[in-house]
Amino acid sequence: MKGTLGKVLEVDLSSKTVEMRPIEDKTMYDYLGGLGLATRLLFDQTRPQIDALSEENVLVIAPGLLVGSGLPTASKTTLTFKSPLTNGFGRSVAGAYLGVELKKAGYDALVIKGKSDKPVYLFIDDDHVEIRDASHLWGKDAIETQELLKAELGNVRTGAIGYAGEKLSKISGVDFEERQAGRAGGGAVMGSKMLKAIAVRGTKNIPYANVEALRETIKKWNQKIVGSPVQELDMKYGSGEFYEWVNKIMGVFPVKNWQQSYFEDSFNAHPDGKSPLDPYYWAPLYTEKHHPCPNCNKPCGRHIVFKEGKYAPLRVEGVEYELLYSLGGALGIDDIEVTAKLNSICDRAGLDGISAGVTLAWAMEAYERGLLTKEDTDGLDLRFGNSDAAVAAMEKLANREGKLGELLSNGVKEASRKLGKGSEKFALEVKGLEPPAYDVRGLKGMALALAVSVRGACHLTGGIYAPELTGSFWEFSNIDRLSSEWKGYEVKTGEDFMTVYDVLGLCKFSRSLFWLEEDVLDAIEAVTGIRFTIEQLMAIGERIYNLQRLFNIREGFTRKDDYLPYRVTHEPISNGVTKGSYVSEEELQDMLDQYYMARGWSKEGVPTKMHLKRLGLVEEAEVFGAPI
């Protein structure tokens, strides 16, 4: 199939062997690339019930189908692995230049197996592949590691773990030149394999079906972006542009470990009624330059610099909306410099900033409730809003240092189980993954999306926050965010839609610019030479999502794993415009029934044999499918 290379590079770190394997055209047609190909390879190359931190786990890296084509915002590369955090399907996505380089080196995907007996890094230079000693890099932070590799190898693109991944923190991720594939513990998987980093240099051309049509599509997409309100807001303020709106108008910004849903103290503490976490305040003051993902001409990413202040000189890539929550509001901190410092600690250590912040917020509540003592916190006064304590605690978490660092380093689910004392009731997680920056008690479709997401509490698996917050999106309209009715089809459709974006490698912040039926089909045809229909494309998304669900079922997941945190189902929102709203357990179970029915699954959440066969998953239907 044009636009693909037809090859997977397999590296076995145990045997130190490298092999190029062909991919059948049918596989590429059925899965296309990115998350699709990465899901298929992970499912086929892992056995059930393995230890996620053993050499039996597999790490797959696959750039999206459109990555490297020059299409604006086609930037995303997917990592899949068995998650050490959830013990289920692990997925993490980043705007990684390494993905572009991997395609130019001639590969649709990279599969890493086994475990080295010493620290190593992988160097891919077109057809030449080496497993090199990384002893000089072990112990370095993720950003410094990549700087050293570039100095050593020249013009390469890189990804690396920090010391959190080396120390097998289950909430560690992989940094790709300050773009993080943070979620679900991929950093620990690399660390368990003693793989410190990957460097790639590619010089080959990608074979496209119709270069002239591709150029025209690139031009058309650029015209949609340049001068648009989306470009203006992204470039001025980044992903946190709607911070005030989510707080004041919608009342669904989680604060102090979800004890509140509007950062009232922050807004009230300032005479102008503005919160210091709002990028309308800090972006104009501290932005040094934009930091785009590959082929992006509406970059939301930026480097910000603090030349004065407690942590100066401080330079960090960010601060994204999710981290304004997890390293700001969730901790009761409304000082952007402190939040940026916490962001920097996470980036350099290679920590998932969402998971790390939410885990620390749980510890703060446990401390204020008297369940953790100063002895437990290594002497830190771990109250909400205590910035000094938060920074010190994050350093301990990142380095797995002291009693507190050891308690928190594997995320909130494990920490709450270790502590006990009822702390599980305010531990925010689904399947072990900490939730993002939307209080789903006031977004009931989003609540269902968190409960059923294959990787745990994730906003990007279905992207349901968009229709829930605005009331409409794509084919949806008149959505009532406070009602639990008719959410099953909404979530199912959103998941299939967003899966297609991850397959193609398109940034999800572009989904309101490039619609599948208007723009994406033209792009795919120019790249591959194949004219898909919308129905075929959505079926590909559905096939891939069902295969991910089967991965979890193979690991022993059942309906009981589609749950919501106790706080969401038992404690109504306490302040703001959505005060009083929550998702009862009865509502959740009803929404699960709606969702499973929309999905063509059994009442226990298992895809039926007939449905799997309809999706082309014939062998899987016989092994895993539920009878009708």
Side-chain angles (χ1 to χ4, degrees), residues 13 28 75 85 91 111-112 117 132 162 185 200-201 242 253 275 283 286 333 348 373 452 515 534 564 577 607:
L13 297 176
M28 295 309 301
S75 63
L85 185 64
R91 179 193 87 241
V111 175
I112 301 169
D117 55 1
R132 292 188 173 185
V200 185
R201 179 162 50 232
F242 65 169
F253 183 79
S275 166
Y286 302 115
I333 291 171
R348 290 191 171 275
T373 66
V452 300
W515 298 109
I534 286 293
L564 289 169
V577 298

Side-chain angles (χ1 to χ4, degrees), residues 292-587:
C293 293
N295 291 109
C296 182
N297 56 357
K298 61 172 198 67
C300 60
R302 69 197 60 237
H303 284 104
I304 59 173
V305 176
F306 296 85
K307 297 178 180 178
E308 299 176 350
K310 190 169 188 176
Y311 304 109
L314 173 64
R315 181 177 183 272
V316 64
E317 204 284 336
V319 176
E320 304 295 340
Y321 170 72
E322 297 297 330
L323 302 190
L324 294 173
Y325 143 74
S326 63
L327 304 177
L331 306 178
I333 291 171
D334 72 343
D335 185 330
I336 187 59
E337 186 180 358
V338 177
T339 295
K341 176 61 176 177
L342 293 168
N343 192 160
S344 178
I345 293 169
C346 290
D347 287 356
R348 290 191 171 275
L351 278 173
D352 174 1
I354 298 177
S355 287
V358 173
T359 303
L360 183 54
W362 167 87
M364 286 180 161
E365 182 167 349
Y367 181 82
E368 289 197 347
R369 286 172 175 256
L371 306 181
L372 286 175
T373 66
K374 274 198 174 181
E375 182 180 354
D376 299 318
T377 63
D378 302 314
L380 297 177
D381 183 19
L382 210 58
R383 291 173 290 106
F384 285 111
N386 188 335
S387 299
D388 290 341
V391 170
M394 191 62 78
E395 291 280 15
K396 288 180 178 294
L397 193 165
N399 288 281
R400 207 161 188 161
E401 177 187 293
K403 288 185 178 179
L404 184 63
E406 187 60 38
L407 176 66
L408 303 183
S409 63
N410 286 333
V412 71
K413 185 173 184 177
E414 186 169 313
S416 65
R417 284 180 174 176
K418 284 181 178 179
L419 179 62
K421 304 177 184 178
S423 64
E424 301 91 339
K425 290 188 175 181
F426 55 88
L428 281 303
E429 54 83 16
V430 177
K431 299 180 177 69
L433 186 70
E434 294 77 10
Y438 307 90
D439 191 328
V440 297
R441 290 174 291 188
L443 302 164
K444 295 193 176 182
M446 186 70 183
L448 175 62
L450 292 197
V452 300
S453 166
V454 287
R455 76 168 178 179
C458 170
H459 60 300
L460 293 173
T461 298
I464 301 302
Y465 63 93
E468 290 285 305
L469 285 169
T470 63
S472 63
F473 180 77
W474 194 35
E475 302 293 343
F476 298 115
S477 60
N478 300 316
I479 293 171
D480 182 355
R481 67 186 178 96
L482 299 180
S483 169
S484 59
E485 295 297 318
W486 298 102
K487 299 302 185 183
Y489 182 74
E490 177 191 344
V491 171
K492 182 264 186 197
T493 304
E495 289 168 341
D496 295 344
F497 183 99
M498 290 291 95
T499 298
V500 170
Y501 266 68
D502 284 336
V503 166
L504 302 177
L506 288 174
C507 175
K508 291 173 180 174
F509 288 163
S510 299
R511 61 191 180 273
S512 62
L513 287 170
F514 308 131
W515 298 109
L516 296 184
E517 60 268 48
E518 297 173 11
D519 304 292
V520 174
L521 295 181
D522 291 341
I524 296 172
E525 184 176 16
V527 167
T528 67
I530 300 170
R531 186 68 187 185
F532 288 92
T533 65
I534 286 293
E535 292 75 19
Q536 287 172 319
L537 206 55
M538 290 294 284
I540 288 171
E542 188 173 8
R543 176 184 303 119
I544 294 160
Y545 199 84
N546 274 261
L547 190 59
Q548 294 169 16
R549 180 75 176 193
L550 292 181
F551 186 98
N552 282 353
I553 288 169
R554 192 171 71 173
E555 294 301 319
F557 283 53
T558 66
R559 180 176 177 132
K560 67 178 176 55
D561 294 292
D562 292 341
Y563 60 85
L564 289 169
Y566 181 90
R567 176 153 283 166
V568 171
T569 56
H570 288 78
E571 299 178 21
I573 288 176
S574 65
N575 72 335
V577 298
T578 317
K579 182 177 180 179
S581 182
Y582 74 109
V583 182
S584 71
E585 188 61 39
E586 292 74 20
E587 282 181 300

